[in-house]
Amino acid sequence: MKPMIVILKEGTDSSQGKSQVLSNISACQAVAEAIRTTLGPRGMDKLIVDKRGKATISNDGATILKLLEVVHPAARTLVDIAKSQDAEVGDGTTSVVLLAAEILKSTRTFIEDGMHPTIVIRAVRKATALVTEKIREISINIKKDDAKEQKLLLEKCAQTTLNSKLIARQREFFAKMVVDAVLMLDDLLPLNMIGIKKVTGGSLEESRLVAGVAFKKTFSYAGFEMQQKKYSNPKIALLNIELELKAERDNAELRLDNVAEYQKIVDAEWTILYDKLEKLHRAGVNVVLSKLPIGDVATQYFADREMFCAGRVQDDDLKRTQKACGGAIVTTVENLDEKSHQIFGTCDLFEEIQIGSERYNFFTGCPRAKTATMILRGGAEQFIDEVERSLHDAIMIVRRAVKNDAIVAGGGAIEMALSRTLREYSRTVAGKEQMIIAAYAKAFEIIPRQLCENAGFDATNILNKLRQKHAENNIWFGVDITREDVSDNYASAVWEPAIVKINAITAASEAACLILSIDETVKVPKSSSEISNAAKAMNMD
Amino acid sequence: MPSVGTLAFDEFGRPVLILKGQESKKRLFGIEAHKSHILAGKAVANTLKTSLGPRGMDKCMVSPDGDITITNDGATILSMMHVENEIGKLLVQLSKSQDDEIGDGTTGVVVLAGALLEQAEALLDKGIHPIRIADGYELAAKMALEHLDKIAESYPLDLKNLDPLINTAMTTLGSKIINRCQRQMAEIAVNAIMSVADMKRRDVNFELIRVQGKVGGRLEDTLLVKGVVVDKTFSHPQMPKEVRDAKIAILTCPFEPPKPKTKHKLDITTVEDYKKLREYEKEKFSEMIKSIKDAGTNLVICQWGFDDEANHLLLSHQLPAVRWVGGPEIEMIAIATGGRIVPRFQELSADKLGFAGHVYELDFGTTGDHMLCIEQCKKSNTCTIFVRGGNKMVVEEAKRALHDALCVVRNLVRDNRIVYGGGACEIACAVEVAKQANKIATIEQYAIRAFADALESVPLALAENSGFSPIKTVSDVKSQQIAQNNPRLGIDCLNTGTNDMKTQSVIETLIGKRQQISLATQLVRMILKIDDIRLPGETDE
């Protein structure tokens, strides 16, 4: 009898070979299954409750996958591409996962038949390159010089994205809002210059876009209500100072041996605070914002001198205000005087306004940088959260489209066109790759197919119609959700930026290749101690 | 199998784990998920149904620590029920957001949402896609809102003749426990709003109205104090109980020798030193009294306390004083009396004093309880509603009812368009929506018709709660409305003999109704869009 040689730790699971590839493919299929129904305008939402009992209702592929806590190593790849699609273009997270899973599914038979994975991978890579080339070729560029035309285009793109979301019915309203917000920004289109604030209550249509900065009224002390709440052209001081009567040093101790000094120390403490306040007052500041608390004494001091103050302003709000109104966040008031203009910000109008049951500080007409704030209203917290996610997607798409003005038609049209191109190409290839490329071509049909299935249409019927249209060179024909038919989606303005598709296809193909190239997983068993578990969890994240 | 899609098998038929804790997770999918949502939504709505209208009943809620709340305010009931179900929670938030925004109609909005869900169930059974139902609902809601605008009437808003406003407030109070003194409460609410309303900006700052309650007395003893009521008494029993033409010093510093905030230690080594300290303190006290006297004060209000020595000194200098007045109250007093909050004695001067014509202690029966009323203030735009009642539950419920009434009056100040209550406008909208439904060519027609039926749930519930045969009453009113083309006909809940709501003056605000319909529709869309719920199972950890 041969002695057994133990190389790996006991309990290590090491499956390998062809069966491993196949089992990985099944796992990916299962993940795609979980978000399959969220695709398209008739896609459904998922309600996911986490361990702490927090409920999330979402239609966004990346969000759902993140919350599902996938542990299977191969399946995690799909989660990662959804995340990367989210980070890169913001939308199309569901389709990227579906596409990857479908590519795997269609190549599965070849693996089962004993074809070597590397051949499959090579063919997939080749096809991907071909497809991206094709998208670039057929995508339509919209002239940028006509501002009105461009805006129309952007709104169409935003609407296509929002179509599958909860706010589909209000898509025109929100698309306009998103485009206005993005166009308010400067050329770099920094995302953090669009603030999104959520106020529960009110209906969706009461959401509004503010050209400037808005944030919730901060905690205030007695005396706040006596301050003036509206200024035009205010001088705004942005501070990182605590304006409160307090011990200057926390762990210092004073030792007095004379009663007369007692009063002096009290006075000294007051003077420190009053000096700061007076400096601000004398510099002609109207609005004081600070990251740190502004105490009751300061509040009342400002109220007496017709100045407005807000303490404990959130960091990003303060930064946005600074970018918008100019000025600098200062940590000392020592050198402030009327001449230090560059330190103070300004805007056309500052006002405190009641929204729902909350009060908001508005800074509008900011001269320096361009910012926008969206104030979302809605019936429930989860509702607004989902609206925020949807708008985030739309904003990302619009930003992409501004920078990159090539568009393609959505609703499955571009996928069908690509599928046809690949099929035709495959016939010119000799060898094993022919079949793989043909299979890859078929995988693209998953998008229109799923759109139909989610809407309850007869997918086979619609796909046949689409194939026929595309064979006649009507490249923009896609699924028409409203009429249960096919239609020219370019004409009916279902548009998506080409870059979104290119990114989705590349990411999906790469993920598929990656999964196909794995032939062995070595899974070290969980050790009993909690610490190593935690460490592993961290590594996974 | 409910968990299809999350299980995958490897080549030996062993299941592969894809999600973390997959075995214990619960999942509901597809039509089952929809059914379970609808069931939950209906259950919540049914709890509230009996609270609707003037003949609605109250609910008694016992909190975990044994506190009892009796109310028929929808938002309050739901928030105290601690709903566990996720869909139930959405409904709770729905009524809360109606409460935040409008303040009234919190029961109606949930009843409407429940009815919409109930109708959706029947449509789902017919095999209509949930999103098409939601689309139909939104179309119908748009029609209903347009019709509401059409039948809305502009309401006279006249400062001299407050009767119309009082009537509206009475409609709101009609369903509450305090309808015994409906008229009186309505008058109080209207007067309170009118004294703080900013008619130019059409805005009402609620922070200027305080509602205070005290157990004892009768509901009829409830009164409106045009000024501030503080639950405090003069600091010394021998001080006068009444001050006329009070010049008030509002202090936020304690009545004691000032102390540095920095940690300190005073070394006393000799008797002389000790005597000096004593002298110093005495001197400080007399300094303080002097500065108060010099400013011309005859009433001191202090945020902090003062010890017996200071108390005695104040008494001997004929300075009535109040101590331990909370921050918000201090602010109210300052705003009302036009005084300034003074943070230290050195800053006290004549122009910082507030003025009130009449300050007096209010006694309550034999309990020995006292409260301080500050009336005839210089700027009398703050007021306090002082609620009395036989027990704590009644007082609390009366406060909530008054809050609702205040909100309604405020909404009228903001937007003076009204519709008629008693189910009149719901029936009118239902008739209109049903009429328009026939013009729609697509499947949405069914959903629109269902929406019309759901709208009738409010008058149905009203009739049922009033003890009428619901279907007969509602269909009677409906036929009358169509025959007379009169959208003002509603359910005659109180059996007054007429069902014209204009003669009965049962009035609701347009914005309140609009909000109810759009919030309920949007929430129902959200619920219908979910087709997959994942719940964490009971974890073994």
Side-chain angles (χ1 to χ4, degrees):
Chain A
M1 206 181 121
K2 266 190 262 176
M4 221 165 72
I5 307 167
V6 179
I7 305 173
L8 298 172
K9 216 161 106 186
E10 199 182 336
T12 303
D13 172 25
S14 72
S15 2
Q16 52 176 318
K18 194 168 94 182
S19 56
Q20 172 66 34
V21 180
L22 293 177
S23 117
N24 280 347
I25 291 177
S26 329
C28 292
Q29 229 77 75
V31 169
E33 208 63 49
I35 57 167
R36 193 170 284 272
T37 55
T38 64
L39 189 80
R42 295 266 191 266
M44 307 297 275
D45 288 4
K46 311 275 159 203
L47 188 150
I48 300 163
V49 184
D50 69 8
K51 284 214 184 72
R52 273 163 291 146
K54 193 183 174 297
T56 310
I57 297 174
S58 184
N59 168 284
D60 182 54
T63 312
I64 298 169
L65 288 179
K66 220 182 295 170
L67 290 168
L68 279 183
E69 299 183 77
V70 178
V71 288
H72 190 281
R76 282 192 65 85
T77 322
L78 291 192
V79 181
D80 288 343
I81 55 168
K83 273 188 200 161
S84 85
Q85 176 82 4
D86 196 31
E88 191 66 23
V89 282
D91 191 31
T93 50
T94 307
S95 34
V96 71
V97 174
L98 276 188
L99 206 54
E102 194 63 20
I103 295 172
L104 287 173
K105 192 176 159 194
S106 57
T107 49
R108 185 191 176 113
T109 42
F110 303 115
I111 306 282
E112 273 171 353
D113 290 348
M115 203 183 279
H116 198 278
T118 46
I119 299 174
V120 180
I121 291 170
R122 202 187 319 137
V124 167
R125 290 230 167 103
K126 200 171 182 181
T128 313
L130 209 73
V131 162
T132 41
E133 195 53 46
K134 180 74 182 171
I135 296 181
R136 291 216 173 86
E137 187 192 315
I138 61 173
S139 65
I140 295 170
N141 280 303
I142 295 285
K143 280 162 252 120
K144 242 186 185 169
D145 8 306
D146 190 354
K148 217 170 156 191
E149 188 116 325
Q150 192 199 6
K151 202 174 160 194
L152 212 65
L153 156 85
L154 295 177
E155 276 178 27
K156 290 278 155 56
C157 288
Q159 279 187 31
T160 310
T161 307
L162 293 178
N163 212 348
S164 61
K165 309 287 181 187
L166 194 57
I167 47 177
R169 274 279 149 185
Q170 288 81 15
R171 62 176 181 272
E172 280 166 34
F173 175 81
F174 280 106
K176 197 170 166 329
M177 192 159 135
V178 165
V179 172
D180 283 344
V182 173
L183 291 182
M184 266 178 211
L185 304 179
D186 52 22
D187 290 339
L188 279 173
L189 304 176
L191 187 62
N192 57 358
M193 281 296 114
I194 301 180
I196 297 184
K197 299 283 162 191
K198 298 172 277 187
V199 188
T200 40
S203 64
L204 272 177
E205 288 84 359
E206 280 166 53
S207 305
R208 55 192 274 198
L209 177 70
V210 182
V213 185
F215 55 85
K216 205 161 117 183
K217 185 197 128 188
T218 51
F219 178 80
S220 64
Y221 288 92
F224 181 76
E225 292 307 324
M226 290 151 81
Q227 292 176 347
Q228 199 178 322
K229 299 291 169 59
K230 190 176 177 182
Y231 292 94
S232 43
N233 293 315
K235 234 181 191 184
I236 305 163
L238 307 160
L239 309 176
N240 191 4
I241 316 173
E242 211 165 326
L243 294 175
E244 210 166 4
L245 190 63
K246 54 150 201 166
E248 272 307 301
R249 286 279 170 272
D250 281 336
N251 40 9
E253 191 183 283
L254 287 172
R255 201 169 278 256
L256 310 175
D257 51 6
N258 193 340
V259 179
E261 277 170 32
Y262 206 81
Q263 182 64 39
K264 274 190 206 156
I265 288 167
V266 175
D267 285 346
E269 280 184 349
W270 281 87
T271 321
I272 291 171
L273 178 64
Y274 269 50
D275 270 354
K276 287 182 194 163
L277 300 180
E278 207 181 317
K279 284 239 166 67
L280 286 169
H281 175 57
R282 252 198 278 138
V285 174
N286 306 106
V287 176
V288 181
L289 304 179
S290 178
K291 206 150 70 174
L292 296 171
I294 294 183
D296 50 349
V297 176
T299 309
Q300 288 143 22
Y301 182 96
F302 290 138
D304 273 357
R305 284 156 189 81
E306 302 203 322
M307 291 157 76
F308 176 89
C309 71
R312 293 201 180 114
V313 179
Q314 295 273 311
D315 197 24
D316 51 342
D317 287 333
L318 197 66
K319 280 200 183 124
R320 209 175 296 128
T321 318
Q322 186 225 333
K323 287 254 173 66
C325 304
I329 299 173
V330 289
T331 44
T332 171
V333 287
E334 277 311 306
N335 307 317
L336 292 188
D337 55 44
E338 280 166 68
K339 279 167 235 140
S340 42
H341 288 299
Q342 69 279 14
I343 291 176
F344 299 125
T346 188
C347 62
D348 285 350
L349 185 70
F350 164 77
E351 201 175 359
E352 189 188 278
I353 295 174
Q354 181 97 24
I355 295 180
S357 58
E358 317 254 20
R359 282 198 281 168
Y360 268 76
N361 297 323
F362 279 84
F363 297 85
T364 44
C366 306
R368 286 290 290 277
K370 292 142 178 178
T371 54
T373 305
M374 289 182 192
I375 295 172
L376 301 182
R377 310 298 314 276
E381 214 182 303
Q382 279 103 335
F383 192 89
I384 304 190
D385 284 349
E386 175 62 6
V387 173
E388 188 193 356
R389 276 191 291 271
S390 314
L391 287 186
H392 170 80
D393 284 7
I395 291 171
M396 294 294 280
I397 286 295
V398 173
R399 280 180 64 212
R400 277 281 161 195
V402 169
K403 285 184 190 164
N404 204 316
D405 51 0
I407 56 153
V408 295
I414 180 74
E415 283 83 4
M416 287 309 287
L418 296 176
S419 174
R420 176 188 162 223
T421 317
L422 281 178
R423 221 175 11 247
E424 277 166 12
Y425 170 77
S426 69
R427 289 184 198 123
T428 65
V429 182
K432 289 178 186 165
E433 287 183 8
Q434 186 195 41
M435 288 163 74
I436 299 166
I437 292 178
Y440 185 78
K442 189 132 196 323
F444 277 105
E445 287 179 2
I446 182 67
I447 302 285
R449 180 182 292 276
Q450 195 61 46
L451 281 177
C452 293
E453 269 170 22
N454 286 351
F457 302 159
D458 182 349
T460 321
N461 185 19
I462 301 253
L463 277 182
N464 283 337
K465 277 189 197 168
L466 277 178
R467 276 192 212 109
Q468 182 253 340
K469 286 284 176 198
H470 279 265
E472 287 170 5
N473 248 341
N474 295 316
I475 52 166
W476 297 131
F477 263 73
V479 184
D480 184 345
I481 294 293
T482 38
R483 289 192 297 116
E484 196 175 341
D485 204 350
V486 297
S487 70
D488 186 342
N489 276 353
Y490 183 76
S492 49
V494 182
W495 298 345
E496 284 179 85
I499 184 97
V500 176
K501 286 293 163 204
I502 296 180
N503 204 54
I505 292 168
T506 333
S509 305
E510 269 166 18
C513 293
L514 183 71
I515 289 165
L516 287 175
S517 67
I518 303 170
D519 79 332
E520 179 166 350
T521 315
V522 180
K523 202 172 169 195
V524 182
K526 274 186 192 167
S527 66
S528 48
S529 68
E530 279 296 318
I531 309 143
S532 70
N533 264 348
K536 220 186 288 167
M538 274 169 71
N539 286 336
M540 270 184 188
D541 289 337
Chain B
M1 194 161 89
S3 61
V4 156
T6 52
L7 276 184
F9 299 93
D10 67 3
E11 67 277 19
F12 308 115
R14 291 182 308 198
V16 184
L17 267 192
I18 296 174
L19 304 180
K20 202 170 160 191
Q22 180 169 288
E23 328 83 273
S24 64
K25 271 187 182 162
K26 276 186 235 138
R27 184 177 184 211
L28 269 182
F29 189 72
I31 198 82
E32 264 175 73
H34 284 124
K35 285 279 163 71
S36 103
H37 300 333
I38 290 172
L39 204 67
K42 262 163 56 185
V44 172
N46 279 338
T47 329
L48 284 190
K49 224 173 194 168
T50 52
S51 291
L52 197 75
R55 295 269 193 247
M57 303 303 275
D58 287 4
K59 311 268 174 244
C60 171
M61 253 99 38
V62 185
S63 77
D65 16 295
D67 282 346
I68 297 173
T69 311
I70 298 175
T71 182
N72 80 353
D73 180 57
T76 316
I77 298 174
L78 288 179
S79 67
M80 297 197 120
M81 268 172 33
H82 294 286
V83 178
E84 277 285 323
N85 184 287
E86 290 306 325
I87 302 299
K89 276 188 199 155
L90 284 177
L91 287 174
V92 175
Q93 286 187 7
L94 172 74
S95 86
K96 192 177 166 294
S97 85
Q98 173 83 8
D99 195 31
D100 288 347
E101 193 73 10
I102 305 295
D104 185 33
T106 51
T107 314
V109 71
V110 176
V111 171
L112 183 60
L116 284 174
L117 285 175
E118 199 172 333
Q119 293 289 339
E121 190 178 14
L123 294 178
L124 281 174
D125 284 345
K126 281 191 185 125
I128 299 179
H129 197 283
I131 292 190
R132 307 210 68 162
I133 301 175
D135 280 352
Y137 278 178
E138 295 218 358
L139 270 178
K142 220 169 127 203
M143 291 172 194
L145 292 181
E146 270 165 20
H147 190 64
L148 265 186
D149 283 344
K150 227 180 283 162
I151 60 169
E153 290 174 20
S154 199
Y155 208 54
L157 204 62
D158 187 1
L159 285 181
K160 286 172 202 92
N161 178 17
L162 295 176
D163 267 359
L165 283 179
I166 292 172
N167 282 336
T168 327
M170 279 171 69
T171 309
T172 309
L173 294 174
S175 59
K176 308 286 176 186
I177 195 165
I178 56 170
N179 58 10
R180 183 154 51 94
C181 21
Q182 200 175 359
R183 174 88 197 175
Q184 186 198 353
M185 292 293 181
E187 272 172 17
I188 288 177
V190 172
N191 282 328
I193 291 282
M194 281 305 147
S195 64
V196 301
D198 182 346
M199 293 309 267
K200 250 182 274 159
R201 281 178 62 205
R202 286 191 163 270
D203 194 22
V204 178
N205 189 351
F206 261 8
E207 302 205 359
L208 297 176
I209 303 174
R210 285 178 64 86
V211 181
Q212 286 225 339
K214 189 108 186 160
V215 179
R218 299 174 302 156
L219 264 180
E220 283 82 349
D221 293 336
T222 301
L223 53 99
L224 175 73
V225 180
K226 290 209 174 171
V228 189
V229 176
V230 214
D231 193 2
K232 292 282 176 295
T233 53
F234 287 112
S235 57
H236 199 286
Q238 276 171 299
M239 282 176 185
K241 300 280 177 242
E242 192 174 12
V243 181
R244 295 230 169 238
D245 296 329
K247 293 206 181 85
I248 308 168
I250 304 156
L251 300 172
T252 52
C253 49
F255 227 100
E256 56 182 27
K259 270 194 211 130
K261 293 267 179 180
T262 315
K263 214 160 141 202
H264 61 278
K265 194 172 183 182
L266 185 62
D267 283 339
I268 296 174
T269 41
T270 59
V271 180
E272 277 78 52
D273 273 352
Y274 191 75
K275 276 186 180 151
K276 254 195 226 159
L277 179 67
R278 187 83 203 100
E279 274 307 306
Y280 168 78
E281 282 193 354
K282 228 179 193 169
E283 198 185 306
K284 276 288 153 204
F285 272 126
S286 52
E287 237 175 62
M288 283 179 221
I289 299 283
K290 191 169 169 290
S291 62
I292 292 173
K293 271 281 173 196
D294 284 353
T297 317
N298 55 6
L299 176 65
V300 180
I301 300 219
C302 189
Q303 192 178 11
W304 303 99
F306 32 84
D307 56 15
D308 286 347
E309 193 176 347
N311 208 357
H312 173 77
L313 268 170
L314 284 167
L315 179 69
S316 59
H317 285 87
Q318 279 103 46
L319 276 173
V322 188
R323 56 184 161 183
W324 296 120
V325 180
E329 279 104 346
I330 283 267
E331 199 166 11
M332 285 283 276
I333 295 171
I335 294 173
T337 61
R340 288 289 176 184
I341 300 169
V342 180
R344 55 179 186 168
F345 289 96
Q346 285 93 320
E347 282 170 37
L348 204 58
S349 62
D351 57 327
K352 289 198 171 168
L353 299 182
F355 178 83
H358 191 197
V359 180
Y360 59 98
E361 258 185 29
L362 206 63
D363 296 322
F364 301 110
T366 56
T367 53
D369 277 352
H370 301 282
M371 274 191 163
L372 198 69
C373 285
I374 302 173
E375 274 192 356
Q376 298 164 24
C377 305
K378 196 153 83 184
K379 294 181 181 157
S380 66
N381 58 355
T382 64
C383 57
T384 305
I385 298 173
F386 194 60
V387 183
R388 303 302 309 277
N391 58 46
K392 201 173 141 224
M393 273 87 85
V394 170
V395 173
E396 289 299 313
E397 176 66 359
K399 274 161 103 174
R400 276 191 291 271
L402 273 170
H403 174 254
D404 282 9
L406 288 171
C407 288
V408 168
V409 180
R410 174 193 62 175
N411 293 341
L412 273 181
V413 171
R414 278 199 190 151
D415 183 344
N416 63 353
R417 282 175 300 166
I418 51 124
V419 289
Y420 290 94
C425 60
E426 281 90 354
I427 295 179
C429 285
V431 170
E432 175 70 17
V433 170
K435 208 160 71 190
Q436 299 235 12
N438 297 337
K439 295 179 194 159
I440 304 286
T442 46
I443 306 178
E444 276 87 1
Q445 196 191 78
Y446 281 86
I448 294 172
R449 224 173 272 142
F451 187 89
D453 288 345
L455 275 176
E456 281 171 19
S457 65
V458 173
L460 278 173
L462 275 178
E464 200 174 331
N465 290 346
S466 311
F468 304 137
S469 149
I471 298 189
K472 185 177 173 296
T473 321
V474 172
S475 50
D476 275 358
V477 174
K478 205 166 150 188
S479 69
Q480 277 178 35
Q481 273 212 10
I482 297 175
Q484 300 173 21
N485 197 13
N486 181 357
R488 295 187 301 272
L489 301 180
I491 309 287
D492 180 17
C493 297
L494 298 170
N495 247 339
T496 47
T498 169
N499 60 7
D500 190 335
M501 291 297 142
K502 197 172 185 179
T503 11
Q504 273 204 28
S505 38
V506 177
I507 297 157
E508 286 186 65
T509 55
L510 173 69
I511 37 177
K513 268 283 160 282
R514 285 188 64 107
Q515 182 85 6
Q516 274 189 357
I517 293 179
S518 53
L519 273 185
T521 314
Q522 278 163 11
L523 194 92
V524 168
R525 180 189 185 89
M526 180 165 202
I527 294 175
L528 283 177
K529 212 161 175 275
I530 302 169
D531 75 333
D532 193 356
I533 326 172
R534 284 162 193 272
L535 295 165
E538 279 88 70
T539 39
D540 312 326
E541 293 157 42

